[in-house]
């Protein structure tokens, strides 16, 4: 029986897989976050619950070429591990930014899940691919540090490059992935830009101008055609959809 697929923000995604990943992440959040009545605890809970609710659809978008009618056990396992690493990235980010005991304790409780995911990935991919995965994490760390010093839209994709683990690992670092890596990074940057806009960062004239230039480059038809041909037609649609939304709010 074929798996049910539907539209989310302009992209076709897999309903059953999204539900499975949401269930996994919600269970992880319950294990990691010990809530109380404080405002800090409730804020932390909302941020983690948002990851569990919204990230599975985006994870499936990045995994689009491997989500046919029959998803292999290997694909499912790697997606679960990558989803957990994304949750861990949120917990780590909050612990670094907020620096309170609650966030540090969440980070400590997340360690077993994180190391389990890393071990699973190491066992599932060749050493050369694992080395490229480590390089992606190094890119993530470097981009965060650069963007913290001076906000720069060119680093908004790279500071979330842990998400590129999904197509990297599933493809085995294939030529198709390498051909599409820049556009997939741009897709991640567009989603990050939505958060930056909601936080008021785009009110700065310099950032707004730099980001509009970035948007124009994202809509390069030749680059989008390569992405679509290599198995990411829904991701291509999502880039166009996100770019139009951002053009409307920034230039409207």
């Amino acid at each position: 029986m074929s798996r049910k697929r539907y539209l989310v923000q302009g992209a076709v995604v897999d309903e059953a897989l999204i539900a499975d990943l949401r269930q996994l992440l919600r269970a992880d959040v319950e294990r990691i976050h010990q809530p109380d009545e404080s405002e800090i605890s409730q804020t932390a809970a909302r941020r983690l619950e948002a990851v569990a609710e919204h990230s599975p659809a985006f994870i499936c978008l990045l995994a689009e070429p491997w989500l046919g009618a029959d998803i292999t056990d290997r694909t499912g396992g790697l997606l679960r591990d990558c989803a957990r690493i994304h949750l861990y990235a949120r917990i780590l980010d909050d612990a670094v930014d907020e620096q309170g005991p609650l966030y540090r304790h969440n980070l400590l409780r997340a360690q077993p899940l994180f190391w389990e995911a890393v071990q699973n990935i190491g066992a599932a991919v060749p050493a050369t691919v694992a080395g490229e995965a480590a390089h992606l994490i190094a890119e993530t760390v470097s981009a965060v540090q650069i963007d913290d010093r001076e906000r720069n839209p060119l680093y908004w994709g790279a500071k979330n490059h842990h998400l590129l683990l999904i197509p990297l690992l599933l493809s085995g670092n294939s030529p198709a992935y390498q051909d599409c890596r820049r556009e997939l990074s741009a897709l991640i940057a567009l989603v990050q830009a939505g958060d930056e806009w909601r936080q008021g960062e785009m009110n700065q004239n310099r950032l707004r101008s730099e980001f509009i230039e970035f948007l124009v480059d994202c809509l390069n038809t030749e680059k989008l055609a390569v992405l679509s041909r290599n198995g990411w037609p829904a991701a291509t649609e999502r880039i166009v959809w996100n770019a139009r939304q951002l053009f409307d709010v920034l230039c409207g």
Side-chain angles (χ1 to χ4, degrees):
M1 181 180 297
S2 63
R3 299 171 69 93
K4 185 176 180 182
R5 294 162 72 81
Y6 68 116
L7 286 173
V8 172
Q9 293 186 328
V12 180
V13 291
D14 188 292
E15 181 180 35
L17 181 57
I18 287 174
D20 290 345
L21 292 174
R22 279 180 180 153
Q23 183 177 9
L24 172 76
L25 294 179
R26 285 169 178 161
D28 287 348
V29 170
E30 289 182 2
R31 293 169 62 181
I32 292 166
H33 183 65
Q34 298 180 359
D36 56 42
E37 298 302 318
S38 69
E39 183 176 348
I40 291 175
S41 177
Q42 292 176 27
T43 298
R46 284 194 297 270
R47 287 172 66 83
L48 297 181
E49 288 163 2
V51 174
E53 175 66 23
H54 300 297
S55 68
F58 193 68
I59 287 168
C60 289
L61 199 58
L62 293 170
E64 184 180 2
W66 298 272
L67 301 187
D70 297 316
I71 299 172
T72 67
D73 290 341
R74 178 181 181 275
T75 294
L78 285 172
L79 289 179
R80 288 190 292 272
D81 291 327
C82 288
R84 281 179 153 173
I85 286 175
H86 182 55
L87 176 63
Y88 179 82
R90 165 57 66 199
I91 294 167
L92 176 61
D93 186 53
D94 287 346
V96 171
D97 288 347
E98 305 300 331
Q99 301 182 357
L102 180 147
Y103 294 100
R104 292 198 300 271
H105 292 163
N106 281 355
L107 182 61
L108 288 171
R109 285 189 289 267
Q111 296 304 307
L113 297 176
F114 171 73
W115 285 108
E116 180 183 346
V118 170
Q119 289 173 336
N120 289 343
I121 289 171
V125 302
T128 54
V129 177
E132 186 64 22
H135 179 67
L136 273 180
I137 301 304
E139 284 184 353
T140 302
V141 173
S142 176
V144 170
Q145 292 175 322
I146 293 171
D147 191 60
D148 280 350
R149 289 196 295 268
E150 183 178 12
R151 308 310 307 280
N152 189 329
L154 296 179
Y155 290 95
W156 290 352
K159 74 178 191 175
N160 293 284
H161 266 184
H162 64 276
L163 286 165
L164 286 184
L165 288 171
I166 297 160
L168 166 70
L169 298 174
L170 291 174
S171 72
N173 198 21
S174 70
Y177 159 71
Q178 287 295 335
D179 287 345
C180 297
R181 186 180 188 275
R182 188 174 182 275
E183 282 62 55
L184 293 171
S185 178
L187 171 58
I188 295 169
L190 291 175
V191 175
Q192 176 70 32
D195 291 339
E196 303 289 345
W197 171 72
R198 284 186 287 272
Q199 294 166 15
E201 295 291 341
M202 295 292 193
N203 293 333
Q204 302 178 43
N205 289 334
R206 177 187 64 82
L207 272 181
R208 182 189 295 259
S209 176
E210 290 176 352
F211 184 71
I212 289 173
E213 290 183 15
F214 175 76
L215 276 180
V216 173
D217 187 56
C218 287
L219 293 175
N220 181 291
T221 55
E222 291 184 7
K223 296 174 183 177
L224 292 176
V226 171
L227 184 64
S228 183
R229 284 198 304 269
N230 278 293
W232 283 278
T236 304
E237 293 177 15
R238 176 66 183 265
I239 289 174
V240 174
W241 186 89
N242 268 77
R244 286 175 175 168
Q245 298 297 311
L246 288 163
F247 267 125
D248 286 345
V249 299
L250 295 175
C251 304

